[in-house]
Amino acid sequence: MLVERAGGGRRELSLPTSGELAAAEAMHLDPRMQLGAIPEGQETAVLRRHGFRSWEDLYPRRQRAMVEKLLELASSCSPDADVVAALKLAIIGSTEMAGHLSRWDRYYLKSYESMAGHRFNFTTLPVEPNAWGTTTSGRGTTLRRVVQLIKSAEWLKERTGGGLQIAGPLAASAPMVPALLGQDVDGQSLERPDVLVVVGSSQRQLLPTGSVDLVLTDPPYHDDVQYGELSQPLQAWAGLTSAESGGDAVVNRATGQLVAAGSYTALLASIFRESARLLRDAGHLIFSYANRDPQAWAQLLEALQSAGLRAVGCTIVHSENETDHAKRNVRACTLDLLLDLVPLSGIAVAKHRPTVGDTAEEKFLGIIAEYVLAVGELDTNWQKEFLEATSSAEFLQPRRARRSNGLDTS
């Protein structure tokens, strides 16, 4: 296991010295928190396969002790509960750099969070991070996170002249929030929050019908990103149970979640239908999507069509996978398709189409884009035609076969 050293304007990853090994085993480092067992799952399976059984197994003894001490000190650092909560958020956030998993990259000397690339990852030489950090370096450390919180607060104050008025968090089962309409029953203006935080399923959103100009979302992911599982180490440190943050709208074959025929499409449709309810006639739903599985695309388009939405355009954009060290030279998607949809109505729209380049992936997305642009008016036979067209795309063929045929343009 490596250690990260910083000082004098330089940084290095190296084998620990005898003094560092002795310090790591100091008797005063006595972590007490039990973080719970690692459950079976699609992403957690790799942890269990490598012998990890509890979440505390992911952390060196010294890192656990340091995090516990920081959380203890944070509780009494300020009479302001919001300040304490922000500090605890920074401390718990640092635990994504789990010492027994945190990888390093020879292309860029830094350690990476244990769930980088949306997977629990391993290396033969993990790096134990400095949980607190230094003033000059320390990716993902508590100190770095506190500094960024301060910078963001100063940025907000500079541009707004104050802070944000935040309502919540509210449960998704709470009553609708009439204040967001801006007026009471007598037509008098109501003070309305700048931000409303709601916790729960997106199948029920607390905003009034026809009150929103833009719905911007990062999901859906189909089965690609299991955030429920990947966030469980942080949940454990925060004292949350997995049940409190479960139920994400993703297919998980290991747990059996949304694997029944039609279940994923039905859930997506109900979420999109609720989002469409919020939109004004000229409002837009915008999100990006990427997947190599034509069935995943078919389920997405079916859900959008069923939700009463129509496409007004799409475009091909570059994704972070192009520079992700864990996804170099593998069959990962490096492009996303950005979708733009509006509620079905009689309003005329001018559709915008993507520019399609010469690579295999762009051509694959170009095929999909033609069907995306037909959402709202797809005919009854579209799925069969769609699956045939996309399944035969060059991008989905095994790389060896593509090279032997002179087709590898990815």
Side-chain angles (χ1 to χ4, degrees), residues 153-162:
E154 291 173 342
W155 179 91
L156 179 66
K157 184 176 182 180
E158 178 185 336
R159 283 158 177 77
T160 65

Side-chain angles (χ1 to χ4, degrees), residues 143-158:
L143 182 58
R144 180 64 62 86
R145 292 167 191 268
V146 170
V147 169
Q148 294 304 316
L149 284 172
I150 293 171
K151 284 184 177 180
S152 61
E154 291 173 342
W155 179 91
L156 179 66
K157 184 176 182 180
E158 178 185 336

Side-chain angles (χ1 to χ4, degrees), residues 77 94 108 130 201 218 223 237 239 248 261 295 362-363 366 385:
C77 73
S94 75
Y108 178 38
N130 180 331
S201 172
D218 190 18
D223 62 349
W237 280 106
D248 42 346
Q295 286 285 357
E362 287 176 285
K363 292 176 182 177
E385 298 170 357

Side-chain angles (χ1 to χ4, degrees), residues 301-366:
L301 300 187
E302 177 63 30
L304 292 169
Q305 170 109 342
S306 300
L309 291 160
R310 61 172 172 165
V312 294
C314 59
T315 190
I316 297 172
V317 296
H318 295 272
S319 75
E320 61 185 357
N321 283 354
E322 288 181 308
T323 56
D324 191 324
H325 73 292
K327 297 176 181 177
R328 291 192 186 104
N329 302 318
V330 297
R331 299 182 71 212
C333 296
T334 61
L335 300 172
D336 288 356
L337 194 64
L338 190 67
L339 287 72
D340 182 3
L341 304 109
V342 297
L344 279 173
S345 71
I347 299 176
V349 295
K351 296 187 178 183
H352 53 95
R353 312 179 71 86
T355 300
V356 180
D358 294 329
T359 69
E361 186 173 3
E362 287 176 285
K363 292 176 182 177
F364 173 67
L365 291 177

Side-chain angles (χ1 to χ4, degrees), residues 116-379:
H118 304 138
R119 301 286 185 270
F120 287 118
N121 292 289
F122 292 89
T123 177
T124 53
L125 292 172
V127 182
E128 178 184 1
N130 180 331
W132 173 247
T134 73
T135 56
T136 57
S137 67
R139 183 176 186 270
T141 63
T142 299
L143 182 58
R144 180 64 62 86
R145 292 167 191 268
V146 170
V147 169
Q148 294 304 316
L149 284 172
I150 293 171
K151 284 184 177 180
S152 61
E154 291 173 342
W155 179 91
L156 179 66
K157 184 176 182 180
E158 178 185 336
R159 283 158 177 77
T160 65
L164 294 177
Q165 183 182 347
I166 302 173
L170 302 177
S173 57
M176 291 291 177
V177 184
L180 293 174
L181 288 171
Q183 295 181 333
D184 63 17
V185 292
D186 298 319
Q188 300 299 312
S189 296
L190 291 169
E191 185 177 355
R192 52 190 293 181
D194 300 301
V195 178
L196 174 65
V197 180
V198 180
V199 179
S201 172
S202 296
Q203 289 174 279
R204 187 171 190 273
Q205 301 171 36
L206 301 189
L207 304 181
T209 299
S211 63
V212 171
D213 293 303
L214 173 65
V215 174
L216 186 64
T217 173
D218 190 18
Y221 308 117
H222 195 255
D223 62 349
D224 273 353
V225 184
Q226 305 289 332
Y227 276 127
E229 291 186 25
L230 296 171
S231 65
Q232 285 184 20
L234 288 84
Q235 295 176 42
W237 280 106
L240 302 173
T241 65
S242 57
E244 291 180 78
S245 59
D248 42 346
V250 294
V251 176
N252 190 316
R253 292 174 177 83
T255 63
Q257 177 175 285
L258 298 177
V259 296
S263 58
Y264 178 71
T265 304
L267 177 57
L268 273 193
S270 68
I271 293 171
F272 287 138
R273 191 174 298 114
E274 177 70 347
S275 297
R277 177 188 67 79
L278 306 184
L279 290 171
R280 296 188 171 98
D281 287 342
H284 290 251
L285 166 66
I286 296 177
F287 63 93
S288 65
Y289 192 73
N291 204 293
R292 296 181 66 90
D293 184 359
Q295 286 285 357
W297 280 101
Q299 291 170 15
L300 172 67
L301 300 187
E302 177 63 30
L304 292 169
Q305 170 109 342
S306 300
L309 291 160
R310 61 172 172 165
V312 294
C314 59
T315 190
I316 297 172
V317 296
H318 295 272
S319 75
E320 61 185 357
N321 283 354
E322 288 181 308
T323 56
D324 191 324
H325 73 292
K327 297 176 181 177
R328 291 192 186 104
N329 302 318
V330 297
R331 299 182 71 212
C333 296
T334 61
L335 300 172
D336 288 356
L337 194 64
L338 190 67
L339 287 72
D340 182 3
L341 304 109
V342 297
L344 279 173
S345 71
I347 299 176
V349 295
K351 296 187 178 183
H352 53 95
R353 312 179 71 86
T355 300
V356 180
D358 294 329
T359 69
E361 186 173 3
E362 287 176 285
K363 292 176 182 177
F364 173 67
L365 291 177
I367 296 170
I368 293 171
E370 292 303 312
Y371 288 86
V372 167
L373 291 169
V375 167
E377 49 191 29
L378 289 165
D379 61 34

